[in-house]
């Protein structure tokens, strides 16, 4: 007789992208493509800008004034840099701040309205999609920067999953 077919239901299918998420990601892709932001050069620049941002030394207003005066007097100063230990401490602080932010966001998921849950789910998905465009360019980043990016991705996935689980818990 016929084959005995087992159920092909995947319990993780509830986490598959929704039609709205797919449409939003396609719209995002079209917008980025129209602005020429998905070219290899643009994706590489985005990645290198991330590195530069993590290495940027923020100056106090007094230091900015001193630097401007030095430039005005024809004595430009060398860019300020972090020592290895200062850079490591900065990365750890960035990860701590990110973890605190996302942990609070995750804690607040049950308090969100249905519309906020939907936005959280969609925005988290768009973050994951954006990561997928850039991941090939992350290979040359320092390990500490890769750790920031990977941690961010894990949080985006966790928030999206929490939003979906909460919507299901509410019967939506």
């Amino acid at each position: 007789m016929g084959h005995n077919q087992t159920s092909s239901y995947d319990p993780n299918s509830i986490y598959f992208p929704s039609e709205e998420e797919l449409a939003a990601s396609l719209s995002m892709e079209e917008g980025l493509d129209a602005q020429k932001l998905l070219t290899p050069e643009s994706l590489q620049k985005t990645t290198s800008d991330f590195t530069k941002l993590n290495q940027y030394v923020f100056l106090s207003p007094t230091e900015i004034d001193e630097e401007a005066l030095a430039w005005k007097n024809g004595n430009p100063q060398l860019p300020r840099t972090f020592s290895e230990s200062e850079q490591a401490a900065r990365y750890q602080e960035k990860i701590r701040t990110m973890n605190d932010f996302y942990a609070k966001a995750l804690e607040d998921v049950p308090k969100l309205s249905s519309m906020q849950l939907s936005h959280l789910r969609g925005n988290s998905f768009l973050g994951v999609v954006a990561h997928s465009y850039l991941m090939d360019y992350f290979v040359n980043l320092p390990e500490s920067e890769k750790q920031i990016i990977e941690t961010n991705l894990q949080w985006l996935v966790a928030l999206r999953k929490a939003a979906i689980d909460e919507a299901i818990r509410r019967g939506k």
Side-chain angles (χ1 to χ4, degrees), residues 41-55:
E41 297 80 17
S42 290
L43 294 170
Q44 181 61 55
K45 181 173 179 346
T46 297
T47 306
S48 68
D49 286 350
F50 177 73
T51 297
K52 288 176 188 169
L53 178 64
N54 284 325
Q55 295 171 350

